[in-house]
DNA sequence: TCGAAATTGAAAATCGTTTTCAATTGGCCG
DNA sequence: CGGCCAATTGAAAACGATTTTCAATTTCGA
């Protein structure tokens, strides 16, 4: 890692090392805050901006990319060998992944047909995960059928 | 329109009427600022928050939906009969649309296979549009081949 | 017409992101 | 080894789009 960064003109520091390690140790779709908290457990002197900057760096060198779901927080997703799409539960906001190898071909075709040179594909499927559907079903029978405020 | 809103429990006002009219008269993917400017040309007394609130309302009643591209501004896209995806040019940030009827079937299948009940699909293809590619080509030959700063 | 509920506009509050700046550190060079 | 310069860090402030607050006004059904 140190070497990898050096070739790109970046230096290694204790903070950076801890941040990188922690990021890759955590699950996918990590927010700055989440990583900040995590890192703080090891070294409470690390600043927020350092975490943020290194997350940006991780993206810049191609090891991750930002995921934006319109809910106000940017999440960082480790780069994967094969592209994947996201299921975004509109209730619990959990992200789940799925492969999209079969679809990528079609997206490439569509791009070509539209004289567009693609560099990346994003597929997001919104809906409800099993857990939230079950929870809803339970609540609906129990509670009144009045207006359920739009989640 | 007035009637449509009334049935949903909303009132009509001069401001609202102008905002709705203007929104649907403008092209797709309108931001609050853009609509605000547009509306102001007709009635310079309308407040920013009123425009914002009505844009939200338009979404709430299903006539449009927010589009988030991670560039900091939320855009509002008129609801279309058939779902469509977006080409997002990483140079000029222009959005172009494409139909995705053929792909929706597959996304539905993928969802079912993953025990996820979908309510919406989003496909975003990032890359470069023809205009920006041509522009780049021109610049590259003219200028030096030094490090092109990552756009 | 009356009044409750919705709407409006200005201003302020939010809040995640990004920048600033002085101090510190990493690592290449001699 | 030192020394030096660019990179990095941390705290704090700046940003900026979004959202809320609140008093005043308006809508529309009873
Ligand atoms: Mn992912
Ligand atoms: Mn669109
Ligand atoms: Zn869920
Ligand atoms: Zn372009």
């Amino acid at each position: 890692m140190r070497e990898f960064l050096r070739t790109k003109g970046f230096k290694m520091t204790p903070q950076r090392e801890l941040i990188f390690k922690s990021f890759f140790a955590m699950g996918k779709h990590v927010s700055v805050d989440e990583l900040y908290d995590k890192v703080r457990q090891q070294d409470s002197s690390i600043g927020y901006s350092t975490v943020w900057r290194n997350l940006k760096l991780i993206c810049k060198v191609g090891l991750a990319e930002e995921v934006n779901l319109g809910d106000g927080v940017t999440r960082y997703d480790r780069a994967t060998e094969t592209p994947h799409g996201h299921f975004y539960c509109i209730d619990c906001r959990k992200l789940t992944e799925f492969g999209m190898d079969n679809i990528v071909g079609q997206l490439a075709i569509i791009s070509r047909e539209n004289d567009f040179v693609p560099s990346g594909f994003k597929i997001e499927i919104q809906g409800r995960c099993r857990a939230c559907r079950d929870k809803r079903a339970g609540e609906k029978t129990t509670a009144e059928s009045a207006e359920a405020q739009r989640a």
Side-chain angles (χ1 to χ4, degrees), chain A:
Chain A
M1 189 67 255
R2 182 186 214 84
E3 185 55 16
F4 172 73
L5 285 178
R6 203 182 53 67
T7 65
K8 304 219 169 196
F10 300 106
K11 296 176 178 175
M12 181 49 76
T13 67
Q15 296 93 331
R16 176 160 293 167
E17 179 158 21
L18 175 56
I19 292 171
F20 273 54
K21 268 193 166 61
S22 301
F23 175 69
F24 293 111
M26 292 180 77
K28 305 150 186 285
H29 318 127
V30 183
S31 67
V32 182
D33 284 356
E34 288 167 350
L35 184 55
Y36 176 66
D37 289 343
K38 179 82 170 184
V39 160
R40 276 263 168 162
Q41 295 173 7
Q42 297 293 113
D43 178 350
S44 64
S45 70
I46 291 184
Y48 182 90
S49 47
T50 298
V51 174
W52 177 80
R53 279 186 292 234
N54 275 290
L55 232 19
K56 286 286 188 185
L57 178 62
I58 290 175
C59 289
K60 188 174 335 191
V61 299
L63 296 178
E65 58 182 56
E66 302 191 345
V67 177
N68 238 287
L69 300 150
D71 61 359
V73 260
T74 300
R75 286 171 182 280
Y76 295 81
D77 203 4
R78 274 179 289 174
T80 52
E81 339 62 49
T82 60
H84 65 269
H86 291 133
F87 288 121
Y88 180 57
C89 180
I90 55 184
D91 279 347
C92 67
R93 302 193 163 179
K94 188 177 60 178
L95 273 191
T96 320
E97 307 186 334
F98 62 84
M100 51 184 235
D101 314 278
N102 30 358
I103 294 180
V104 166
Q106 287 182 64
L107 296 181
I109 292 174
I110 290 175
S111 296
R112 198 173 310 128
E113 291 174 348
N114 286 275
D115 195 22
F116 192 84
V117 175
S119 61
F121 305 108
K122 286 187 184 173
I123 296 184
E124 181 190 324
I125 302 181
Q126 298 162 283
R128 288 212 171 78
C129 68
R130 158 67 68 180
C132 288
R133 294 205 304 283
D134 290 348
K135 198 166 126 219
R136 285 206 147 214
E139 290 171 354
K140 195 144 289 174
T141 48
T142 316
E144 54 287 319
S145 55
E147 280 76 16
Q149 69 274 43
R150 216 277 169 211

